[in-house]
Amino acid sequence: MDDAAYFRALPKAELHLHLDGSVRPATVLDLATADGVPVPTPDLKRLRAHLEATDETPSLAAYIAYFQLPIAVMQTVPALERVTYELCQDLAADGVRYAEIRYAPWLHVNRGLSLADVIRATLNGLRAGQAETGLAGGLIITALRTMPPDQNVTLAQAAGGFVGEGVVGFDLAGDEAGHPPGTHEDAFRAARSLGLNLTIHAGEGAGPESVRQAIALGAMRIGHGVRARQDPEVVEMARENGVEFDTAPTSNVQTKAVPQLEDHPLLAYFRTGIKVTISTDSRTVSRTTLTNEYLKVATVLGGSRADIWAMNLQALDGAFAEPALKSRLRREFSEAEARLAASKKARRQSSGNSATGRGE
């Protein structure tokens, strides 16, 4: 079994995944047509150029611009339910068994929905998708750096009303430049008090000081964190505190967090004891799958199957899920991986027997 087939068959966990960056292009066009949302072109093939970043995308801000059209069509309850449900289908088709899906509810209130309406709609879509596919996981509610701090406190309070119903975490995202996480300390304090787990985008569009602040605010998982390597003290701070870096290799190149994939610090972090995981970030915007991200780590960065398997299990360990669920999934993941390994061994032995004339 080659690496592509192995990683495709492997049960996987994904922790850093944006809903609005993972809407099927055909669904964007369908929803836009139904709701009268202007599109650059009605031709689906040409529309992809407005939804998908490339390695030539110049910055994080430019990458974020690809989210604008999906957000414009995600302004109704049926649309939010549909895109969440379809993402569950796409995750299951990619062999993902556990996923945390994040999005920013404030971006979906432009046509009269309340924050609660938005959260409830995505939860409905998630439950429908989970019922069909068996996918486990939950939602992470994302605050935006560029919004007034009091609005993010309001968002944290709204998200807290859905703890125990599928909302598992609270996040901060958006253009890092000039928007340090400490500005939104009150929102994180509110989120924590309401039982929400904390993760913060940091070290993607800004340097290690952003990561330092995120850790100081109580984040046990950092979205990306690749620029932390610019300051060994921050890297050591993450290691000592058991902070996890949830990376997305393709996206990290497209946002220019790293200049090229070969420069990604994922394996360097892993080999020095930093908790790291692999995600897609945005399946449509980065035009990728988790299988593809694993394959890139193997073929470009030189990660072994054992390395990538360990990062996959780390994603389960770092998940914002109940211990019983994580324990069950870890057992199921390990059993499935053992079957894959046994199948590989059996094929190797069969091939060897045939080569020596002992095969049937």
Side-chain angles (χ1 to χ4, degrees):
M1 180 183 295
D2 63 16
D3 281 346
Y6 172 77
F7 292 134
R8 189 178 303 112
L10 199 68
K12 296 176 284 290
E14 181 163 16
L15 300 184
H16 194 107
L17 176 63
H18 291 269
L19 176 63
D20 45 359
S22 302
V23 184
R24 295 173 182 171
T27 297
V28 172
L29 185 57
D30 190 26
L31 292 173
T33 301
D35 292 342
V37 176
V39 293
T41 172
D43 182 87
L44 181 58
K45 185 175 181 180
R46 293 178 180 174
L47 186 65
R48 288 182 176 274
H50 301 273
L51 300 172
E52 298 171 352
T54 69
D55 287 352
E56 285 68 52
T57 300
S59 65
L60 174 59
Y63 183 87
I64 292 172
Y66 288 97
F67 291 67
Q68 292 177 355
L69 183 54
I71 289 170
V73 302
M74 294 167 61
Q75 299 294 329
T76 67
V77 167
L80 289 163
E81 290 178 343
R82 175 177 172 179
V83 299
T84 310
Y85 168 76
E86 289 181 347
L87 180 53
C88 292
Q89 292 181 316
D90 295 341
L91 287 162
D94 189 24
V96 176
R97 294 281 307 281
Y98 180 91
E100 293 174 2
I101 300 169
R102 65 185 70 199
Y103 69 105
W106 274 125
L107 296 178
H108 304 282
V109 298
N110 297 335
R111 291 177 58 182
L113 296 181
S114 67
L115 292 175
D117 292 334
V118 173
I119 296 171
R120 193 174 294 110
T122 49
L123 282 172
N124 288 342
L126 178 67
R127 292 184 189 116
Q130 289 176 326
E132 177 181 301
T133 65
L135 179 73
L139 298 180
I140 295 175
I141 302 302
T142 300
L144 296 172
R145 285 181 152 85
T146 52
M147 284 196 164
D150 61 337
Q151 282 192 245
N152 286 332
V153 172
T154 299
L155 178 63
Q157 293 168 340
F162 293 90
V163 170
E165 297 183 36
V167 172
V168 298
F170 192 75
D171 177 31
L172 181 69
D175 194 357
E176 279 186 81
H179 304 286
T183 303
H184 302 281
E185 181 177 2
D186 288 346
F188 284 102
R189 185 181 298 112
R192 190 185 302 109
S193 72
L194 292 166
L196 290 161
N197 299 285
L198 303 185
T199 179
I200 298 177
H201 282 69
E204 179 187 25
E209 181 57 32
S210 180
V211 178
R212 187 194 304 273
Q213 285 193 29
I215 295 173
L217 287 170
M220 291 306 295
R221 284 178 18 204
I222 300 296
H224 307 298
V226 295
R227 294 189 179 184
R229 64 175 168 175
Q230 296 169 5
D231 187 338
E233 288 186 4
V234 173
V235 173
E236 182 60 19
M237 181 183 185
R239 191 187 66 79
E240 287 184 352
N241 287 277
V243 173
E244 177 178 291
F245 290 166
D246 296 323
T247 72
T250 297
S251 170
N252 294 154
V253 173
Q254 293 170 334
T255 64
K256 299 303 173 284
V258 294
Q260 58 185 2
L261 189 56
E262 290 82 354
D263 297 321
H264 202 287
L266 175 66
L267 287 178
Y269 285 162
F270 175 70
R271 288 166 182 163
T272 54
I274 301 291
K275 295 178 179 179
V276 288
T277 69
I278 305 168
S279 288
T280 62
D281 189 284
S282 304
R283 287 170 169 259
T284 298
V285 175
S286 286
R287 197 172 186 177
T288 193
T289 64
L290 194 53
T291 296
N292 188 49
E293 294 301 295
Y294 281 19
L295 191 58
K296 284 186 176 183
V297 172
T299 59
V300 180
L301 297 184
S304 67
R305 290 187 181 184
D307 293 338
I308 295 166
W309 173 243
M311 295 179 203
N312 189 31
L313 291 182
Q314 178 55 48
L316 272 184
D317 291 343
F320 295 154
E322 292 297 322
L325 173 60
K326 292 198 283 189
S327 178
R328 175 175 65 80
L329 287 173
R330 205 178 210 281
R331 182 177 64 253
E332 292 174 0
F333 275 35
S334 296
E335 290 171 352
E337 198 280 333
R339 287 193 295 271
L340 287 172
S343 175
K344 177 183 177 182
K345 182 178 180 180
R347 279 193 297 272
R348 188 187 304 119
Q349 291 175 338
S350 175
S351 176
N353 289 342
S354 297
T356 56
R358 292 195 300 269
E360 294 181 357

